[in-house]
Amino acid sequence: MTGPANAILDVRGVGMMFDGAGGRPSVLEDISFEIGPRDVVGLVGESGCGKTTLLRIMAGLLRPTRGEVSLAGVPIVRPEPQVCLVFQHYAATLLPWRRAIDNVMFGLSARGAERQQLRQSALALLERMGLAADAQRYPWELSGGMQQRVALARALIRRPRVLLLDEPFSAVDERTRAGIQELLLTLHREETCSIVLVTHDLDEVVHLSRRVVVLAGRPARVQQIIDGPAGVSRESLRSHLSIVRGRS
């Protein structure tokens, strides 16, 4: 398999096993693909096939049993600030006792004028997300979609080279989902980061991704990479995935 030239993130031969009562079952086996500059890659597969585990490995939150993930040629062996993961249960990652703007700035150390500049950057991000008037509100005062945008702003303020999104739109209604999808596309055009998106929604895959990495099997392997899914119909993509499921 050949990936994009000048890959930013390289996933090479990744395997993952977990200790269990029945031994060490494999979850992932020989996973390899590349993320190019300003790439948008959809990562799909059946529930429980290890997509979230793979995202955690890519972010440096888990060490793989085999293989490695590297950022610009440097192996990731610990949490990597340039690779940000926005979790599926984003509301649980926001600190309820901190206001929206403080949640966006959380974990970034700065003092004096530098902190004031950081605060202005956080306000600017919240404004772009339609939350300027809500910067001083607490997470529990915000809707699910608003909390989601705060979590996204907290990742983007770090200016990551790679943004990992785990089912980012699964907990919001259809109208909110469409709005945040368009916001994500706008931010991607304006920012320099690449995006890896885990989703079960085929429309979402077609609409947002430039390439789709299909995982299948137990343990999961890369069964197929679909280039240019924007030119693929939902029915055709479903057919691709159905064929892969039949092989697993």
Side-chain angles (χ1 to χ4, degrees):
M1 176 196 67
T2 59
N6 304 316
I8 295 298
L9 199 71
D10 188 9
V11 179
R12 193 59 49 197
V14 165
M16 191 69 189
M17 302 175 72
F18 289 110
D19 292 321
R24 301 195 71 198
S26 293
V27 179
L28 303 171
E29 183 68 36
D30 195 26
I31 303 292
S32 296
F33 59 91
E34 297 174 346
I35 307 299
R38 299 182 62 81
D39 213 349
V40 184
V41 175
L43 186 62
V44 301
E46 292 184 303
S47 295
C49 75
K51 299 184 297 295
T52 296
T53 296
L54 181 56
L55 286 188
R56 289 176 177 270
I57 292 171
M58 293 166 71
L61 301 177
L62 287 176
R63 293 289 301 275
T65 309
R66 292 182 298 278
E68 68 176 20
V69 178
S70 58
L71 177 69
V74 179
I76 296 176
V77 296
R78 60 182 60 86
E80 171 53 61
Q82 294 185 75
V83 182
C84 286
L85 172 57
V86 178
F87 293 92
Q88 177 179 3
H89 303 293
Y90 50 85
T93 70
L94 298 179
L95 302 178
W97 60 89
R98 288 179 179 262
R99 301 178 192 274
I101 188 169
D102 296 317
N103 266 285
V104 173
M105 298 169 60
F106 179 72
L108 297 175
S109 58
R111 295 178 180 273
E114 186 180 11
R115 182 167 180 80
Q116 185 58 33
Q117 185 177 8
L118 182 63
R119 193 173 186 84
Q120 290 302 318
S121 297
L123 279 172
L125 262 176
L126 288 173
E127 183 174 5
R128 289 168 66 187
M129 295 190 176
L131 295 174
D134 303 291
Q136 299 301 320
R137 297 175 69 185
Y138 292 97
W140 47 269
E141 297 179 294
L142 305 175
S143 68
M146 295 163 80
Q147 291 177 7
Q148 189 176 42
R149 281 177 277 166
V150 172
L152 187 58
R154 184 168 63 183
L156 289 172
I157 199 171
R158 289 159 173 75
R159 304 302 296 268
R161 299 183 72 176
V162 182
L163 181 63
L164 308 175
L165 303 175
D166 187 8
E167 293 280 2
F169 314 117
S170 61
V172 295
D173 60 72
E174 192 67 33
R175 181 177 179 181
T176 301
R177 179 184 297 118
I180 298 177
Q181 286 176 357
E182 292 309 311
L183 172 64
L184 185 63
L185 289 174
T186 300
L187 290 170
H188 180 257
R189 286 192 293 267
E190 297 173 356
E191 301 290 335
T192 59
C193 68
S194 298
I195 295 173
V196 180
L197 169 72
V198 164
T199 180
H200 288 94
D201 190 312
L202 298 185
D203 288 327
E204 214 160 76
V205 172
V206 171
H207 182 50
L208 297 175
S209 305
R210 295 178 180 175
R211 290 183 300 131
V212 179
V213 176
V214 181
L215 301 183
R218 294 288 192 275
R221 296 175 173 85
V222 175
Q223 294 290 343
Q224 193 170 12
I225 294 182
I226 304 170
D227 290 308
V232 178
S233 70
R234 186 177 190 273
E235 291 71 24
S236 178
L237 184 56
R238 185 184 296 278
S239 176
H240 275 293
L241 299 181
S242 297
I243 291 171
V244 169
R245 290 190 188 107
R247 296 174 185 159
S248 58

